[in-house]
Amino acid sequence: MSGKADPRPAGEGTTSRARLDRGRGALGPALELVHTGRAPTRAVLTAELGVTRATAGAVAAELEALGLIRVDARPGAAAGSQGRPSHRLEVDEDGPVVLAAQVHADGFRAALVGLGGRIVATTPSCEAVDADPAKVLGAAVDAGADLLDRTGRRCVGAGLAVPSAVTAPEGLALNPLHLAWPVGAPVREIFADRVRAAGVDGPAFAVNDVNAAALAEHRHGAGRGARDLLCVATGHRGVGGALVLDGRLHTGSSGLALEVGHLTVNPEGRPCHCGSRGCLDVEADPLALLTTAGRAPGPEGSLLQQANELIREEYADPVVRTAAEALIDRLGLGLAGLVNILNPDRIILGGLHRTLLDTDPDRLRAVVADRSLWGRSGGVPILACSLDHNSLVGAAELAWQPVLDDPLAALGVR
């Protein structure tokens, strides 16, 4: 050991190490800010992180070196802005991806999703869902692995969205009512096994499809900026709901919260799979619209596609209009009850509900306001979901979360 004195002032080495540690600890929060579009420039990143400009610059440079973001080499100012120009930040479009898969009653689809909620590549929707979940999930993973082979992208994880409540942490699909799958199918375990067998790197996750949609919309779509966000959607069959509180999904003690499809909105209505009658699940989904309008579901296209086309192309027909209004009223009654219980600051609607809102927004908002205690005092904003394939994007968000939490660990960087 050398006996020479350290030429640096006492404590300088410790200070430098502390700065480095602070910067590395800020990598995850910084990446999430860029990922969600909340830090478009290095100046905003500096302010949001509460660090010095030098630290923010070092953090941005390290994220760029990891291939996760890009820093504009030439700082610029937005039109009309004042102060020193700042470097723009954006996710790296050539960076890693996650494999996302979605299964619904009318088929399944796989995609590669990058940071920022960008769908890099997607497969066509397959319109056959086998009664064996292992076959379906294996086919979805194989399709996603083929996309990875063709694009040559690095994969850091995988996420699955299914039309069922999914227990946490076990990952069991408790009520795949609109699939022929067994109750309690271990979808997360099956999916993870298929992901590993396909040679795909990273952890694998499974989530309810509306939970996934809500998370995606909160980070990248119509739910941005909401503190307590309620999402209600009907896709191909049934009705689901999700709640995002302070940026995180509220899933309850075991992953089963917000099973809104089994709110009773028509006590004399249709029998429901749960044993009750008149639940949202059977009174406000695509099949309910088609049957209320006296239309038999056809063999071409999904139920969601048929219901959406019926409204968009034949709303002038009094029978179709009356059927749509009946669904709006039942949906509004369910939303009013949820508003009374949850007091959200925003509601977003997806699937057929988005089409109903676009078709007659005043009627739906009036029903919610009239039947909701809090709605009468000012109303809750009700918006349409804005992302295409939001369940796929949300499934991907689960797989991105370990990277957002600790980029160095997730990417295997020492």
Side-chain angles (χ1 to χ4, degrees), residues 42-125:
R42 204 168 70 183
V44 176
L45 182 68
T46 301
E48 289 288 335
L49 293 177
V51 298
T52 65
R53 290 178 61 248
T55 297
V59 167
E62 185 149 12
L63 290 174
E64 185 173 38
L66 292 171
L68 297 172
I69 73 169
R70 286 180 176 172
V71 182
D72 191 341
R74 294 175 298 176
S81 64
Q82 297 180 349
R84 179 181 299 179
S86 182
H87 296 273
R88 294 199 62 80
L89 307 176
E90 58 185 19
V91 299
D92 189 338
E93 293 185 356
D94 298 320
V97 296
V98 302
L99 188 160
Q102 180 186 7
V103 179
H104 52 74
D106 293 318
F108 65 87
R109 184 189 295 269
L112 304 182
V113 184
L115 283 167
R118 296 173 303 107
I119 293 183
V120 173
T122 183
T123 64
S125 179

Side-chain angles (χ1 to χ4, degrees), residues 162-167 171-187 207-209 237-240 255-262 272-274 281:
V162 294
S164 168
V166 178
T167 63
L172 308 179
L174 280 194
N175 61 340
L177 297 175
H178 306 295
L179 304 174
W181 292 358
V183 173
V187 291
V207 66
N208 167 264
D209 54 0
R237 290 293 302 275
V239 175
L256 307 179
L258 269 291
E259 193 66 25
V260 305
H262 299 288
C272 183
H273 317 277
C274 71
D281 219 46

Side-chain angles (χ1 to χ4, degrees), residues 98-104 107-112 121-130 132-148 150 155 157-162 181 187 190-196 198 200 205 392 395:
V98 302
L99 188 160
Q102 180 186 7
V103 179
H104 52 74
F108 65 87
R109 184 189 295 269
L112 304 182
T122 183
T123 64
S125 179
C126 175
E127 296 183 359
V129 179
D130 197 276
D132 181 355
K135 291 183 179 180
V136 180
L137 300 184
V141 171
D142 288 345
D146 182 61
L147 290 177
L148 287 170
R150 287 195 277 120
C155 185
L160 167 69
V162 294
W181 292 358
V187 291
I190 295 170
F191 182 62
D193 287 345
R194 295 302 184 273
V195 165
R196 284 192 295 269
V200 177
F205 303 86
L392 277 171

Side-chain angles (χ1 to χ4, degrees), residues 21 153 230 403 413:
D21 290 342
R153 303 295 280 264
L230 172 64
V403 181
V413 178

